DNA sequence: ACCACCATGTAAGTTGTTACATGATTTG
DNA sequence: CAAATCATGTAACAACTTACATGGTGGT
């Protein structure tokens, strides 16, 4: 699942402009790309060149014109293929763990400060995720199954963060109490 | 925590050749880079140019010579700074969730196949992680704290995978039973 | 004979990031 | 009057990947 498929997926939900996509991608936890202009506009041009999407220019009074991109049948077919790829487990960068791995360079207090800070970050991240999950404005609900899966996706982030939080607080307690 | 810091960290454990580092990095879950030659040898040259590491050539009979890299005090100082960076929560890419997000393009059976496959992948990944955690050869244990933290790091991967597995099997059950 | 391992490195390409450029409009 | 928002795009750079090049050794 790369940015091409991500954008095709979003367009399979509804038509968007490049600017819309940029906002959605950079705001969401799920679509993790930075949402920088360069890539999104480039990918849209490529998708159009490959005949998977098309756009209509929508003029606006007192605002710049938009290019509203829509997916076509060929785009939907390509998307379908990428959705059917064998899913693989992705163990990805947990840079905090690398920090802890070389903690022999740090004092006990410095390690505890790191753990405390990370714990606080997780707590505020968690409440952010929970807030988003309750609001739930920007998710598609074309079928009951889709609505259910989008709830489950939000839950996945929350569960992962809760697990990480519990791990962190246990680790912090063990370090601070010297129970190694 | 980028590749530079990762390599400095490994060298702060013990001296390694580029080839050693390549093996360690590509084998480990923690150091997630692909461990391709190009980057590792390039980073080693940069670290040496910046005066953070040095190397000795070690001749071997019937095998090519090695460059054994060692970290110096300046390197340790730079590493320390990067270890003291404020840790940030990384919501890393879960491409499987993006696949599920656009499942409206797929049939119920196709979604179930994906969930089943992913579940099996997680199960085998989990037993791999657990096996590694039991063997535990390649971890430093200069202090009790370091040994403890390396155990906890391994636990972190296991816990995260268990959480993901439970989430997946619950989701699969709900979809297969139609409890949306 | 062929493949994998050891060991270093380079070339060519893709992908991703930050920052810039333009220019009207709205908000503080 | 500075700033953020809307909207498109480009330039320059950094990071990462795959594949190639060399060449001896050891296993099947």
């Amino acid at each position: 699942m790369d940015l091409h498929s991500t954008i095709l997926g979003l367009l399979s939900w509804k038509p968007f402009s490049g600017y819309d996509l940029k906002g959605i991608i950079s705001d969401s936890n799920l679509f993790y790309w930075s949402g920088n202009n360069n890539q999104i506009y480039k990918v849209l041009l490529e998708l159009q060149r490959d005949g998977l999407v098309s756009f209509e220019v929508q003029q606006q009074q007192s605002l710049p014109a938009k290019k509203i991109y829509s997916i076509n049948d060929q785009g939907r077919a390509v998307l379908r293929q990428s959705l059917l790829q064998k899913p693989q487990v992705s163990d990805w960068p947990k840079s905090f763990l690398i920090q802890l791995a070389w903690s022999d360079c740090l004092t006990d207090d410095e390690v505890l400060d790191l753990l405390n800070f990370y714990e606080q970050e997780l707590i505020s991240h968690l409440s952010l995720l929970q807030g988003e999950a309750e609001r739930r404005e920007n998710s598609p609900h074309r079928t009951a199954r889709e609505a259910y899966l989008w709830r489950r996706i939000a839950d996945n982030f929350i569960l992962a963060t809760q697990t990480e939080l519990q791990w962190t607080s246990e680790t912090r307690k063990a370090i601070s109490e010297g129970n190694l």
Side-chain angles (χ1 to χ4, degrees), chain A:
Chain A
M1 295 298 304
D2 57 355
L3 187 54
H4 285 75
S5 313
T6 299
I7 287 179
L8 282 179
L10 284 163
L11 293 178
S12 81
W13 174 20
K14 45 174 145 158
F16 287 112
S17 70
Y19 190 81
D20 293 334
L21 292 170
K22 179 187 155 188
I24 292 169
I25 290 174
S26 61
D27 286 355
S28 89
N29 314 87
L30 178 56
F31 311 115
Y32 54 91
W33 287 273
S34 77
N36 66 92
N37 289 354
N38 196 326
Q39 256 193 291
I40 288 172
Y41 287 112
K42 209 180 114 217
V43 166
L44 283 170
L45 288 175
E46 285 167 13
L47 291 174
Q48 199 225 335
R49 182 201 62 198
D50 298 343
L52 311 181
V53 304
S54 58
F55 66 85
E56 277 182 21
V57 176
Q58 185 181 303
Q59 296 294 338
Q60 302 176 108
Q61 82 279 39
S62 82
L63 272 182
K66 285 181 176 191
K67 285 183 174 181
I68 306 289
Y69 285 87
S70 305
I71 195 170
N72 60 29
D73 285 346
Q74 212 183 322
R76 257 180 288 267
V78 168
L79 174 61
R80 223 183 97 81
Q81 283 315 302
S82 77
L83 295 180
L84 285 170
Q85 293 292 309
K86 297 281 173 215
Q88 44 194 355
V89 178
S90 56
D91 258 333
W92 252 71
K94 292 202 176 181
S95 71
F96 178 59
L97 296 183
I98 305 184
Q99 271 176 287
L100 283 189
W102 308 119
S103 61
D104 247 38
C105 299
L106 306 177
T107 66
D108 276 11
D109 281 348
E110 284 169 336
V111 173
L112 274 175
D113 282 351
L114 283 181
L115 284 162
N116 273 318
F117 185 89
Y118 189 57
E119 198 175 353
Q120 292 309 312
E121 288 286 295
L122 285 168
I123 288 170
S124 62
H125 187 65
L126 187 57
S127 73
L128 201 118
L129 288 174
Q130 282 166 336
E132 276 173 21
E134 273 167 35
R135 271 180 271 110
R136 173 161 321 294
E137 305 123 351
N138 277 345
S139 38
H141 47 280
R142 288 167 287 188
T143 60
R145 196 186 66 188
E146 185 168 60
Y148 171 76
L149 282 173
W150 276 71
R151 275 199 304 281
R152 288 296 288 168
I153 288 169
D155 288 350
N156 186 299
F157 283 94
I158 290 170
L159 284 167
T161 306
Q162 281 171 337
T163 304
E164 187 80 357
L165 178 55
Q166 201 178 332
W167 178 91
T168 305
S169 93
E170 282 168 17
T171 308
R172 175 183 54 72
K173 275 173 206 151
I175 294 279
S176 72
E177 290 164 13
N179 302 330
L180 312 182

